[in-house]
Amino acid sequence: MQKNWSQHLRNTIIGLAGTTFAGVYFGHPIYGLTAGLGIYLLWTLYHTYRLSQWLADPNTMNETPQSLGIWGNLFEKLHKLNQNYLQTRDRLRARIDRIQESTNAMRDGVIMTDAHGAMEWWNGSAEDLLGFRHNTDQGQYICNLIRTPAFKAYFDAKNYREPLELHSPAKPHIHLQIQISLFGKQSRLIVAKDVTRLHQLEQMRRDFVSNVSHEMRTPLTVISGYLETLVDNTDDLPAKWRRAINTMATQSFRMEALITDLILLSRIETGEKEVNDTTTNVNGLMQQICQDARTLSGENQHEITFNTSGRQQLKGDEKQLRSAFSNLVFNAVKYTPAQGQITVSWFSNSEGGHLSVKDTGAGIEQIHLPRLTERFYRADPSRHKDTGGTGLGLAIVKHVLINHDGNLEILSRVGEGSRFICHFPAKRLVSAAPE
Ligand code: ADP
């Protein structure tokens, strides 16, 4: 460019010098110079006009303007830049079309919103699953279109580690799993998956377990009843039958406990999601449970203490809470050697209410902690035979806490004992009136 410019300058000076010499020849050098400058000005104006015409719409004009010297160079460079720009634009457009085509082919709904939740883009499946419309919903706030309070709370909380499940606002029979990811400056990418089939299978599994448990309960009650009578009258039985009858009775009581827990778990999981939100007096409840735990401990003489830092009550279903808390305290009794200490505490802080059950038992290896609340998962299968547990206790605790918007924290170290803490959100706490 530098070279072209110096060439242009040289040519201009030569041209002006030529017209000036011609002026000298005719005895008017000033006229010659003025005529030269005038020609240069007209030439420049003409090319500026052509350039502005071409720049106004470079793609519809058939040809790029042609010229000599620096203007010719300028037109050529601009033409190349325009070609590059067109190629890049076409390439990007093709790529965007491809991405849109592939996301439209996805069965999951994909939605992009800005930092405030205004809808920027969504694919065809999102229209199908959530009922969005392209011509009217562009720029609308997603929380105005998915009006479920749970979705608004999930969207605003910005804690997207766990997905959210909800019914489709457009087709209530469709069950959706929503997962949000943050990108850019707090923009959100929302993926909605149709999990209706999975949900139906899960429902079928729950119904099956619940129905089988109910069906088995009646015959088992009859068997247990007769066995109990036989155990009460073992003196009348031949000696060779006594041991067998006692073992049968123990096993049938275990089965009864198992069925009771299965029925309770399926009831907590399904039918009673809408928990009865009466106020539960946790202090009173825990004192009763600790008393029952002392009876369970019997000769083992565990030292069971209950501490409370206030008179906060809990909004929730007392029956479910009793099952969860007693499972934790009875587990502490079962898994702590005789004369061990069990400390139960109920306290609250700015984060909510917390019920902690701490023992000085054998503790649990870290590897087992994440799976402990699974049904029938046992940290130490050799130990459970003595305790007579059903393997469902912590699964019941977990589901009761889910129903009460809470969660279970398990802290344990082998040889140092365990601590199970039920955390409840502050919205579930109710201050008790002073006595
Ligand atoms: P179980 O009927 O076997 O007690 P749970 O679901 O209540 O079933 O507990 C699951 C497993 O967690 C138990 O088998 C036991 O290995 C472990 N566990 C629960 N509570 C304690 C505790 N306080 N100390 C040590 N291990 C425990």
Side-chain angles (χ1 to χ4, degrees), residues 331 334-335 359 364 372 377-380 389-391 393-394 418 420:
N331 269 355
K334 286 191 298 187
Y335 297 107
D359 63 52
I364 309 158
L372 225 50
Y377 188 86
R378 273 147 176 151
D380 185 354
T390 61
L394 292 180
S418 314
F420 292 76

Side-chain angles (χ1 to χ4, degrees), residues 151-218:
F151 178 77
K152 169 126 182 61
Y154 180 66
F155 189 85
D156 291 340
K158 291 190 186 165
N159 176 7
Y160 304 132
R161 258 182 305 159
E162 294 292 324
L164 172 76
E165 289 204 5
L166 45 82
H167 290 283
S168 157
K171 299 173 184 169
H173 64 279
I174 293 185
H175 212 90
L176 295 176
Q177 189 182 62
I178 306 278
Q179 180 79 63
I180 303 184
S181 310
L182 286 170
F183 70 98
K185 289 184 180 158
Q186 302 288 303
S187 297
R188 290 169 176 90
L189 181 75
I190 303 167
V191 179
K193 212 187 231 329
D194 181 352
V195 289
T196 314
R197 178 99 188 101
L198 217 70
H199 223 257
Q200 282 167 348
L201 285 174
E202 181 76 357
Q203 189 62 41
M204 270 164 60
R205 180 192 62 77
R206 284 189 199 138
D207 290 349
F208 176 75
V209 172
S210 166
N211 291 341
V212 169
S213 311
H214 273 104
E215 291 301 322
M216 279 170 70
R217 186 178 226 174
T218 317

Side-chain angles (χ1 to χ4, degrees), residues 261 327-328 330-336 357 359 361-364 372-381 383-384 387-397 412 417-420:
D261 271 3
N327 264 312
L328 292 180
F330 296 167
N331 269 355
V333 172
K334 286 191 298 187
Y335 297 107
T336 303
V357 180
D359 63 52
I364 309 158
L372 225 50
T373 54
E374 286 175 20
R375 292 172 182 82
F376 303 114
Y377 188 86
R378 273 147 176 151
D380 185 354
R383 230 192 298 153
H384 86 269
T387 66
T390 61
L392 293 172
L394 292 180
I396 291 174
V397 175
S412 189
S418 314
R419 188 174 178 200
F420 292 76

Side-chain angles (χ1 to χ4, degrees), residues 356-359 363-364 366 369 372 408-414 416-421 423:
S356 149
V357 180
K358 189 166 179 284
D359 63 52
I364 309 158
Q366 295 297 310
L369 297 187
L372 225 50
L408 178 68
E409 185 183 4
I410 309 174
L411 306 167
S412 189
R413 240 171 231 285
V414 176
E416 289 179 22
S418 314
R419 188 174 178 200
F420 292 76
I421 314 168
H423 299 290

